[in-house]
Amino acid sequence: MFKHLILVLLCLTLAACGRAPDADALRGDVERSLNAAYGEGLFRIAELKRMGSAVDNGAPAGETRRVVYYDVALDLARDVSLGAWDQPGAASLVTLLGAGPRSISGVKSGGNQAGDRIVAHASAIYRQDGQDWKLVTPAGFKAAQAPSLDTGAPPPVTRQLLDSLDQITHSVAYTGSSTAQHVVQQELERSVARINGRLARMQQGYPLAGGPDRGEYVAFARALRDVARSRQVRVAPLITGGGAENIALLRSGDAVVGLAQADTARLAYDGKGPFAAQGPFTGLRALGSLYPELVHIVVRDDASVRGVRDLKGKTVALGPEGSAVRATLEAVLAAHGLQAGRDYQVADTPFAASLPALNSGSVDAAAQVIGVPATPLRDALTQARLKLLPLDPAAIKALTAADSSLMPLDIVAGTYPNQVEAIPTVGMAALLLTTADLTRDEALVIVRAVYSTGQDLLAAGSTQGSQVSIATARRGLTVPLHDGAQEGLTELEKAKPR
């Protein structure tokens, strides 16, 4: 009997541990995290349901951790823009709730109003501390694939225009003027080419040069595909090597739209840096700015490294040689008095690969210019003892004065796990690019699909997409706006509620 009682008590204890922490403790931790990041009372937890838990197999040696899964509904107490570039927004919310971008719905392009509800499938990691469970960090997430694109029919042909064209061609044929006939021939050839191109894009989709698989650019491209579909715009995301390759695809005509950072676009337009061999790409055009990409400098959590100047004598991973991003990162280090080869050694390791190298001690720092929260870094910070370095105020001032594409921005508190303070840095805009060959009407259609108020690119799979707004669509442009984009943005700006 006594052994049976002991067994029952042991089972109850294990069951209690298995469910720990309970829903009340979870609710309190979520509420404290939201208040710390956004201020008291912005979010009210309307509902929170604990959905279960599992052993955290990635826990450090000697620690017992559990991943707790829960659903939460948050009501907004006042109007707020969760897409602003310079304050806690949807990126911080994704991190604080341990959610994926597709796991959150209700964040609206252009801002949310008091009374709006945001719903999330969320998670958190807890560590056992004696009889208690302590919140360690929100859990990570894995990006989901977007569904495939539907097909459709081309638009109807306007009979009146064809009749007018028929009249013109017949009248010119009888004039006997070789010059007039040559003009008509040239215009017809151009028109046929443009019509064929537009019809192909209407039926097959606009090829959008994104970025590496599982990267932030391709996640945005897939999210745009989903939200554009409701406006009968077909976008076909392409997996590429990133900004420089995207611009090459635009130049060759293999892509119609592409993503690139502002500095890369400017170098391509001017024919400098990695684009010097191809010459100026004067036909490159912007459809608008999307979201900020910020300089991240990551190091091990070592008390002796508190600022960028402390990287003297260290090995810093800056990514592939010859890239526009690497040139920007070298400029950031130079603004802190550090010259490559003299004050630090450069590793060519790409950012995602440099994070495990940082943990193993192969490099001392890893740097990148990327949107927030950067998925590889978020995943690494969930488990590893890493931290972000702030840029010096004087360096930020010098950098933004010397380069018009750079702007002073913060990686706001709560953007990454265990990041309790804002990290001063610089950033630039990610641009949506095309060429002058895109027609005015097509540019109008794309701009309306991207920037119209109410788009939920976050729920479609892009955390960075939550920062896309007509309010920042002209910010940080480094190449000319397409004429159709200029018209479309002006139209949306006038329609924006005041």
Side-chain angles (χ1 to χ4, degrees), residues 113-156:
Q113 296 180 327
D116 284 352
R117 176 165 288 191
I118 295 172
V119 177
H121 303 294
S123 59
I125 297 176
Y126 280 80
R127 181 187 72 248
Q128 189 171 17
D129 184 9
Q131 297 300 313
D132 298 324
W133 290 88
K134 302 291 186 182
L135 177 66
V136 178
T137 179
F141 69 93
K142 299 300 179 186
Q145 295 291 324
S148 60
L149 191 68
D150 294 332
T151 59

mmCIF file of all heavy atoms in Angstrom, residues 113-156:
data_model
loop_
_atom_site.group_PDB
_atom_site.id
_atom_site.type_symbol
_atom_site.label_atom_id
_atom_site.label_comp_id
_atom_site.label_asym_id
_atom_site.label_seq_id
_atom_site.Cartn_x
_atom_site.Cartn_y
_atom_site.Cartn_z
ATOM 1 N N GLN A 113 -5.556 50.048 -35.140
ATOM 2 C CA GLN A 113 -6.362 50.942 -34.332
ATOM 3 C C GLN A 113 -6.718 50.297 -33.003
ATOM 4 O O GLN A 113 -6.699 49.073 -32.853
ATOM 5 C CB GLN A 113 -7.643 51.321 -35.080
ATOM 6 C CG GLN A 113 -7.398 52.101 -36.363
ATOM 7 C CD GLN A 113 -8.682 52.456 -37.076
ATOM 8 O OE1 GLN A 113 -9.658 51.710 -37.034
ATOM 9 N NE2 GLN A 113 -8.698 53.614 -37.721
ATOM 10 N N ALA A 114 -7.039 51.156 -32.040
ATOM 11 C CA ALA A 114 -7.493 50.664 -30.741
ATOM 12 C C ALA A 114 -8.679 49.725 -30.942
ATOM 13 O O ALA A 114 -9.584 50.013 -31.720
ATOM 14 C CB ALA A 114 -7.877 51.825 -29.844
ATOM 15 N N GLY A 115 -8.653 48.606 -30.240
ATOM 16 C CA GLY A 115 -9.720 47.622 -30.375
ATOM 17 C C GLY A 115 -9.385 46.494 -31.328
ATOM 18 O O GLY A 115 -10.048 45.452 -31.311
ATOM 19 N N ASP A 116 -8.348 46.688 -32.185
ATOM 20 C CA ASP A 116 -7.934 45.598 -33.068
ATOM 21 C C ASP A 116 -7.417 44.427 -32.235
ATOM 22 O O ASP A 116 -6.852 44.609 -31.150
ATOM 23 C CB ASP A 116 -6.827 46.066 -34.021
ATOM 24 C CG ASP A 116 -7.353 46.926 -35.159
ATOM 25 O OD1 ASP A 116 -8.585 47.032 -35.298
ATOM 26 O OD2 ASP A 116 -6.530 47.495 -35.901
ATOM 27 N N ARG A 117 -7.584 43.232 -32.774
ATOM 28 C CA ARG A 117 -7.099 42.034 -32.092
ATOM 29 C C ARG A 117 -6.016 41.362 -32.920
ATOM 30 O O ARG A 117 -6.161 41.187 -34.132
ATOM 31 C CB ARG A 117 -8.236 41.044 -31.834
ATOM 32 C CG ARG A 117 -7.797 39.720 -31.217
ATOM 33 C CD ARG A 117 -8.943 38.921 -30.660
ATOM 34 N NE ARG A 117 -9.475 39.535 -29.430
ATOM 35 C CZ ARG A 117 -10.342 38.931 -28.616
ATOM 36 N NH1 ARG A 117 -10.772 37.707 -28.891
ATOM 37 N NH2 ARG A 117 -10.789 39.538 -27.540
ATOM 38 N N ILE A 118 -4.932 41.012 -32.255
ATOM 39 C CA ILE A 118 -3.829 40.279 -32.873
ATOM 40 C C ILE A 118 -3.778 38.893 -32.234
ATOM 41 O O ILE A 118 -3.783 38.770 -31.004
ATOM 42 C CB ILE A 118 -2.493 41.022 -32.692
ATOM 43 C CG1 ILE A 118 -2.545 42.352 -33.463
ATOM 44 C CG2 ILE A 118 -1.316 40.169 -33.163
ATOM 45 C CD1 ILE A 118 -1.366 43.258 -33.197
ATOM 46 N N VAL A 119 -3.752 37.877 -33.070
ATOM 47 C CA VAL A 119 -3.786 36.497 -32.600
ATOM 48 C C VAL A 119 -2.486 35.815 -32.986
ATOM 49 O O VAL A 119 -1.968 36.015 -34.093
ATOM 50 C CB VAL A 119 -4.993 35.747 -33.205
ATOM 51 C CG1 VAL A 119 -4.992 34.293 -32.777
ATOM 52 C CG2 VAL A 119 -6.292 36.430 -32.789
ATOM 53 N N ALA A 120 -1.938 34.995 -32.086
ATOM 54 C CA ALA A 120 -0.659 34.332 -32.363
ATOM 55 C C ALA A 120 -0.642 32.911 -31.813
ATOM 56 O O ALA A 120 -1.216 32.636 -30.752
ATOM 57 C CB ALA A 120 0.496 35.127 -31.766
ATOM 58 N N HIS A 121 0.008 32.025 -32.548
ATOM 59 C CA HIS A 121 0.405 30.708 -32.049
ATOM 60 C C HIS A 121 1.841 30.883 -31.566
ATOM 61 O O HIS A 121 2.741 31.128 -32.382
ATOM 62 C CB HIS A 121 0.319 29.659 -33.153
ATOM 63 C CG HIS A 121 -1.040 29.565 -33.774
ATOM 64 N ND1 HIS A 121 -2.149 29.135 -33.079
ATOM 65 C CD2 HIS A 121 -1.466 29.859 -35.028
ATOM 66 C CE1 HIS A 121 -3.203 29.158 -33.871
ATOM 67 N NE2 HIS A 121 -2.820 29.597 -35.060
ATOM 68 N N ALA A 122 2.073 30.790 -30.279
ATOM 69 C CA ALA A 122 3.325 31.236 -29.688
ATOM 70 C C ALA A 122 4.022 30.116 -28.918
ATOM 71 O O ALA A 122 3.473 29.017 -28.742
ATOM 72 C CB ALA A 122 3.057 32.426 -28.773
ATOM 73 N N SER A 123 5.240 30.414 -28.441
ATOM 74 C CA SER A 123 6.020 29.422 -27.698
ATOM 75 C C SER A 123 7.050 30.126 -26.831
ATOM 76 O O SER A 123 7.416 31.275 -27.076
ATOM 77 C CB SER A 123 6.722 28.463 -28.667
ATOM 78 O OG SER A 123 7.582 29.178 -29.539
ATOM 79 N N ALA A 124 7.502 29.435 -25.804
ATOM 80 C CA ALA A 124 8.513 29.975 -24.900
ATOM 81 C C ALA A 124 9.328 28.832 -24.310
ATOM 82 O O ALA A 124 8.841 27.704 -24.202
ATOM 83 C CB ALA A 124 7.859 30.785 -23.782
ATOM 84 N N ILE A 125 10.564 29.138 -23.947
ATOM 85 C CA ILE A 125 11.451 28.144 -23.336
ATOM 86 C C ILE A 125 11.635 28.480 -21.859
ATOM 87 O O ILE A 125 11.959 29.618 -21.510
ATOM 88 C CB ILE A 125 12.819 28.103 -24.044
ATOM 89 C CG1 ILE A 125 12.649 27.669 -25.506
ATOM 90 C CG2 ILE A 125 13.776 27.156 -23.317
ATOM 91 C CD1 ILE A 125 13.945 27.697 -26.299
ATOM 92 N N TYR A 126 11.424 27.477 -21.010
ATOM 93 C CA TYR A 126 11.584 27.636 -19.568
ATOM 94 C C TYR A 126 12.689 26.711 -19.061
ATOM 95 O O TYR A 126 12.851 25.599 -19.569
ATOM 96 C CB TYR A 126 10.282 27.311 -18.835
ATOM 97 C CG TYR A 126 9.270 28.445 -18.858
ATOM 98 C CD1 TYR A 126 8.478 28.665 -19.977
ATOM 99 C CD2 TYR A 126 9.142 29.290 -17.760
ATOM 100 C CE1 TYR A 126 7.556 29.698 -20.002
ATOM 101 C CE2 TYR A 126 8.213 30.325 -17.767
ATOM 102 C CZ TYR A 126 7.433 30.532 -18.890
ATOM 103 O OH TYR A 126 6.522 31.569 -18.904
ATOM 104 N N ARG A 127 13.414 27.185 -18.042
ATOM 105 C CA ARG A 127 14.466 26.392 -17.401
ATOM 106 C C ARG A 127 14.026 26.056 -15.982
ATOM 107 O O ARG A 127 13.504 26.906 -15.263
ATOM 108 C CB ARG A 127 15.770 27.196 -17.358
ATOM 109 C CG ARG A 127 16.934 26.435 -16.719
ATOM 110 C CD ARG A 127 18.163 27.303 -16.529
ATOM 111 N NE ARG A 127 17.971 28.280 -15.465
ATOM 112 C CZ ARG A 127 17.892 29.589 -15.643
ATOM 113 N NH1 ARG A 127 17.971 30.105 -16.857
ATOM 114 N NH2 ARG A 127 17.723 30.409 -14.619
ATOM 115 N N GLN A 128 14.246 24.808 -15.589
ATOM 116 C CA GLN A 128 13.893 24.400 -14.226
ATOM 117 C C GLN A 128 14.948 24.923 -13.256
ATOM 118 O O GLN A 128 16.157 24.749 -13.456
ATOM 119 C CB GLN A 128 13.779 22.886 -14.119
ATOM 120 C CG GLN A 128 13.202 22.439 -12.782
ATOM 121 C CD GLN A 128 12.878 20.958 -12.752
ATOM 122 O OE1 GLN A 128 13.365 20.205 -13.595
ATOM 123 N NE2 GLN A 128 12.049 20.537 -11.805
ATOM 124 N N ASP A 129 14.467 25.608 -12.211
ATOM 125 C CA ASP A 129 15.345 26.182 -11.195
ATOM 126 C C ASP A 129 14.815 25.734 -9.836
ATOM 127 O O ASP A 129 13.960 26.381 -9.239
ATOM 128 C CB ASP A 129 15.345 27.709 -11.315
ATOM 129 C CG ASP A 129 16.318 28.364 -10.339
ATOM 130 O OD1 ASP A 129 17.106 27.639 -9.707
ATOM 131 O OD2 ASP A 129 16.280 29.606 -10.205
ATOM 132 N N GLY A 130 15.323 24.577 -9.354
ATOM 133 C CA GLY A 130 14.780 23.994 -8.135
ATOM 134 C C GLY A 130 13.360 23.530 -8.380
ATOM 135 O O GLY A 130 13.091 22.750 -9.283
ATOM 136 N N GLN A 131 12.412 24.052 -7.585
ATOM 137 C CA GLN A 131 11.004 23.706 -7.768
ATOM 138 C C GLN A 131 10.298 24.667 -8.721
ATOM 139 O O GLN A 131 9.125 24.483 -9.033
ATOM 140 C CB GLN A 131 10.286 23.717 -6.406
ATOM 141 C CG GLN A 131 10.810 22.679 -5.426
ATOM 142 C CD GLN A 131 10.648 21.270 -5.966
ATOM 143 O OE1 GLN A 131 9.588 20.901 -6.473
ATOM 144 N NE2 GLN A 131 11.714 20.469 -5.863
ATOM 145 N N ASP A 132 11.011 25.703 -9.163
ATOM 146 C CA ASP A 132 10.404 26.732 -10.012
ATOM 147 C C ASP A 132 10.845 26.581 -11.470
ATOM 148 O O ASP A 132 11.824 25.890 -11.782
ATOM 149 C CB ASP A 132 10.804 28.128 -9.514
ATOM 150 C CG ASP A 132 10.316 28.401 -8.103
ATOM 151 O OD1 ASP A 132 9.207 27.942 -7.776
ATOM 152 O OD2 ASP A 132 11.050 29.071 -7.346
ATOM 153 N N TRP A 133 10.092 27.250 -12.334
ATOM 154 C CA TRP A 133 10.436 27.318 -13.759
ATOM 155 C C TRP A 133 10.626 28.779 -14.133
ATOM 156 O O TRP A 133 9.769 29.612 -13.881
ATOM 157 C CB TRP A 133 9.332 26.692 -14.616
ATOM 158 C CG TRP A 133 9.256 25.207 -14.467
ATOM 159 C CD1 TRP A 133 8.531 24.505 -13.539
ATOM 160 C CD2 TRP A 133 9.932 24.238 -15.256
ATOM 161 N NE1 TRP A 133 8.723 23.158 -13.696
ATOM 162 C CE2 TRP A 133 9.573 22.956 -14.756
ATOM 163 C CE3 TRP A 133 10.795 24.292 -16.352
ATOM 164 C CZ2 TRP A 133 10.046 21.777 -15.297
ATOM 165 C CZ3 TRP A 133 11.280 23.122 -16.901
ATOM 166 C CH2 TRP A 133 10.910 21.878 -16.384
ATOM 167 N N LYS A 134 11.781 29.097 -14.727
ATOM 168 C CA LYS A 134 12.125 30.467 -15.099
ATOM 169 C C LYS A 134 12.101 30.602 -16.621
ATOM 170 O O LYS A 134 12.670 29.773 -17.343
ATOM 171 C CB LYS A 134 13.527 30.829 -14.587
ATOM 172 C CG LYS A 134 13.690 30.684 -13.076
ATOM 173 C CD LYS A 134 12.878 31.723 -12.323
ATOM 174 C CE LYS A 134 13.172 31.657 -10.813
ATOM 175 N NZ LYS A 134 12.346 32.631 -10.061
ATOM 176 N N LEU A 135 11.464 31.682 -17.091
ATOM 177 C CA LEU A 135 11.460 31.967 -18.526
ATOM 178 C C LEU A 135 12.878 32.272 -18.996
ATOM 179 O O LEU A 135 13.544 33.140 -18.435
ATOM 180 C CB LEU A 135 10.544 33.156 -18.830
ATOM 181 C CG LEU A 135 10.493 33.612 -20.290
ATOM 182 C CD1 LEU A 135 9.863 32.540 -21.169
ATOM 183 C CD2 LEU A 135 9.716 34.925 -20.413
ATOM 184 N N VAL A 136 13.332 31.520 -19.975
ATOM 185 C CA VAL A 136 14.670 31.746 -20.533
ATOM 186 C C VAL A 136 14.565 32.664 -21.741
ATOM 187 O O VAL A 136 15.224 33.690 -21.838
ATOM 188 C CB VAL A 136 15.336 30.409 -20.932
ATOM 189 C CG1 VAL A 136 16.702 30.662 -21.550
ATOM 190 C CG2 VAL A 136 15.454 29.501 -19.728
ATOM 191 N N THR A 137 13.738 32.283 -22.689
ATOM 192 C CA THR A 137 13.626 33.031 -23.943
ATOM 193 C C THR A 137 12.446 32.488 -24.727
ATOM 194 O O THR A 137 12.030 31.343 -24.519
ATOM 195 C CB THR A 137 14.906 32.877 -24.785
ATOM 196 O OG1 THR A 137 14.766 33.582 -26.004
ATOM 197 C CG2 THR A 137 15.192 31.430 -25.099
ATOM 198 N N PRO A 138 11.882 33.274 -25.618
ATOM 199 C CA PRO A 138 10.910 32.695 -26.542
ATOM 200 C C PRO A 138 11.575 31.628 -27.392
ATOM 201 O O PRO A 138 12.782 31.678 -27.637
ATOM 202 C CB PRO A 138 10.475 33.888 -27.402
ATOM 203 C CG PRO A 138 10.838 35.095 -26.594
ATOM 204 C CD PRO A 138 12.052 34.714 -25.815
ATOM 205 N N ALA A 139 10.809 30.662 -27.834
ATOM 206 C CA ALA A 139 11.364 29.608 -28.680
ATOM 207 C C ALA A 139 11.546 30.102 -30.101
ATOM 208 O O ALA A 139 10.993 31.120 -30.500
ATOM 209 C CB ALA A 139 10.441 28.387 -28.665
ATOM 210 N N GLY A 140 12.339 29.386 -30.865
ATOM 211 C CA GLY A 140 12.541 29.735 -32.265
ATOM 212 C C GLY A 140 11.398 29.227 -33.118
ATOM 213 O O GLY A 140 10.423 28.675 -32.629
ATOM 214 N N PHE A 141 11.516 29.437 -34.421
ATOM 215 C CA PHE A 141 10.471 28.966 -35.317
ATOM 216 C C PHE A 141 11.100 28.552 -36.619
ATOM 217 O O PHE A 141 12.236 28.906 -36.935
ATOM 218 C CB PHE A 141 9.435 30.070 -35.573
ATOM 219 C CG PHE A 141 9.983 31.217 -36.388
ATOM 220 C CD1 PHE A 141 9.837 31.239 -37.763
ATOM 221 C CD2 PHE A 141 10.645 32.261 -35.774
ATOM 222 C CE1 PHE A 141 10.353 32.290 -38.514
ATOM 223 C CE2 PHE A 141 11.155 33.308 -36.512
ATOM 224 C CZ PHE A 141 11.011 33.331 -37.879
ATOM 225 N N LYS A 142 10.360 27.777 -37.406
ATOM 226 C CA LYS A 142 10.788 27.372 -38.737
ATOM 227 C C LYS A 142 9.827 27.964 -39.754
ATOM 228 O O LYS A 142 8.611 27.857 -39.605
ATOM 229 C CB LYS A 142 10.800 25.837 -38.872
ATOM 230 C CG LYS A 142 11.762 25.167 -37.883
ATOM 231 C CD LYS A 142 13.189 25.624 -38.094
ATOM 232 C CE LYS A 142 14.126 24.959 -37.089
ATOM 233 N NZ LYS A 142 15.504 25.486 -37.170
ATOM 234 N N ALA A 143 10.379 28.604 -40.769
ATOM 235 C CA ALA A 143 9.539 29.249 -41.768
ATOM 236 C C ALA A 143 8.768 28.210 -42.577
ATOM 237 O O ALA A 143 9.271 27.140 -42.880
ATOM 238 C CB ALA A 143 10.393 30.104 -42.708
ATOM 239 N N ALA A 144 7.534 28.555 -42.898
ATOM 240 C CA ALA A 144 6.700 27.673 -43.713
ATOM 241 C C ALA A 144 6.781 28.079 -45.182
ATOM 242 O O ALA A 144 7.065 29.209 -45.510
ATOM 243 C CB ALA A 144 5.251 27.752 -43.244
ATOM 244 N N GLN A 145 6.528 27.124 -46.074
ATOM 245 C CA GLN A 145 6.535 27.397 -47.498
ATOM 246 C C GLN A 145 5.194 27.975 -47.916
ATOM 247 O O GLN A 145 4.150 27.584 -47.410
ATOM 248 C CB GLN A 145 6.793 26.099 -48.282
ATOM 249 C CG GLN A 145 8.169 25.511 -48.029
ATOM 250 C CD GLN A 145 9.269 26.354 -48.621
ATOM 251 O OE1 GLN A 145 9.112 26.930 -49.686
ATOM 252 N NE2 GLN A 145 10.389 26.442 -47.936
ATOM 253 N N ALA A 146 5.242 28.915 -48.843
ATOM 254 C CA ALA A 146 4.008 29.487 -49.370
ATOM 255 C C ALA A 146 3.377 28.519 -50.361
ATOM 256 O O ALA A 146 4.078 27.745 -51.014
ATOM 257 C CB ALA A 146 4.299 30.807 -50.066
ATOM 258 N N PRO A 147 2.045 28.530 -50.477
ATOM 259 C CA PRO A 147 1.391 27.655 -51.447
ATOM 260 C C PRO A 147 1.701 28.069 -52.881
ATOM 261 O O PRO A 147 2.117 29.193 -53.130
ATOM 262 C CB PRO A 147 -0.100 27.836 -51.129
ATOM 263 C CG PRO A 147 -0.194 29.156 -50.462
ATOM 264 C CD PRO A 147 1.090 29.326 -49.706
ATOM 265 N N SER A 148 1.479 27.157 -53.806
ATOM 266 C CA SER A 148 1.781 27.442 -55.205
ATOM 267 C C SER A 148 0.765 28.413 -55.771
ATOM 268 O O SER A 148 -0.329 28.585 -55.249
ATOM 269 C CB SER A 148 1.763 26.143 -56.016
ATOM 270 O OG SER A 148 0.490 25.542 -55.920
ATOM 271 N N LEU A 149 1.119 29.046 -56.878
ATOM 272 C CA LEU A 149 0.308 30.088 -57.491
ATOM 273 C C LEU A 149 -0.723 29.493 -58.431
ATOM 274 O O LEU A 149 -0.452 28.557 -59.168
ATOM 275 C CB LEU A 149 1.230 31.036 -58.275
ATOM 276 C CG LEU A 149 0.631 32.338 -58.781
ATOM 277 C CD1 LEU A 149 0.288 33.246 -57.614
ATOM 278 C CD2 LEU A 149 1.634 33.039 -59.688
ATOM 279 N N ASP A 150 -1.920 30.065 -58.417
ATOM 280 C CA ASP A 150 -2.944 29.649 -59.368
ATOM 281 C C ASP A 150 -2.633 30.219 -60.756
ATOM 282 O O ASP A 150 -1.858 31.140 -60.899
ATOM 283 C CB ASP A 150 -4.318 30.172 -58.927
ATOM 284 C CG ASP A 150 -4.761 29.539 -57.627
ATOM 285 O OD1 ASP A 150 -4.348 28.387 -57.353
ATOM 286 O OD2 ASP A 150 -5.509 30.207 -56.904
ATOM 287 N N THR A 151 -3.277 29.655 -61.779
ATOM 288 C CA THR A 151 -3.149 30.195 -63.126
ATOM 289 C C THR A 151 -4.409 30.954 -63.478
ATOM 290 O O THR A 151 -5.430 30.837 -62.818
ATOM 291 C CB THR A 151 -2.933 29.064 -64.149
ATOM 292 O OG1 THR A 151 -4.046 28.178 -64.067
ATOM 293 C CG2 THR A 151 -1.652 28.306 -63.855
ATOM 294 N N GLY A 152 -4.329 31.748 -64.537
ATOM 295 C CA GLY A 152 -5.486 32.541 -64.927
ATOM 296 C C GLY A 152 -5.467 32.873 -66.390
ATOM 297 O O GLY A 152 -4.544 32.512 -67.110
ATOM 298 N N ALA A 153 -6.469 33.593 -66.861
ATOM 299 C CA ALA A 153 -6.604 33.931 -68.270
ATOM 300 C C ALA A 153 -6.146 35.358 -68.525
ATOM 301 O O ALA A 153 -6.214 36.202 -67.645
ATOM 302 C CB ALA A 153 -8.059 33.774 -68.696
ATOM 303 N N PRO A 154 -5.648 35.647 -69.735
ATOM 304 C CA PRO A 154 -5.232 37.008 -70.064
ATOM 305 C C PRO A 154 -6.441 37.934 -70.169
ATOM 306 O O PRO A 154 -7.570 37.489 -70.354
ATOM 307 C CB PRO A 154 -4.556 36.847 -71.430
ATOM 308 C CG PRO A 154 -5.154 35.618 -72.012
ATOM 309 C CD PRO A 154 -5.434 34.723 -70.859
ATOM 310 N N PRO A 155 -6.206 39.251 -70.043
ATOM 311 C CA PRO A 155 -7.316 40.192 -70.124
ATOM 312 C C PRO A 155 -7.861 40.289 -71.540
ATOM 313 O O PRO A 155 -7.171 39.963 -72.507
ATOM 314 C CB PRO A 155 -6.672 41.518 -69.691
ATOM 315 C CG PRO A 155 -5.232 41.368 -70.074
ATOM 316 C CD PRO A 155 -4.913 39.920 -69.862
ATOM 317 N N PRO A 156 -9.103 40.748 -71.700
ATOM 318 C CA PRO A 156 -9.665 40.884 -73.042
ATOM 319 C C PRO A 156 -8.980 41.983 -73.842
ATOM 320 O O PRO A 156 -8.442 42.939 -73.292
ATOM 321 C CB PRO A 156 -11.130 41.252 -72.765
ATOM 322 C CG PRO A 156 -11.111 41.873 -71.405
ATOM 323 C CD PRO A 156 -10.050 41.145 -70.654
#
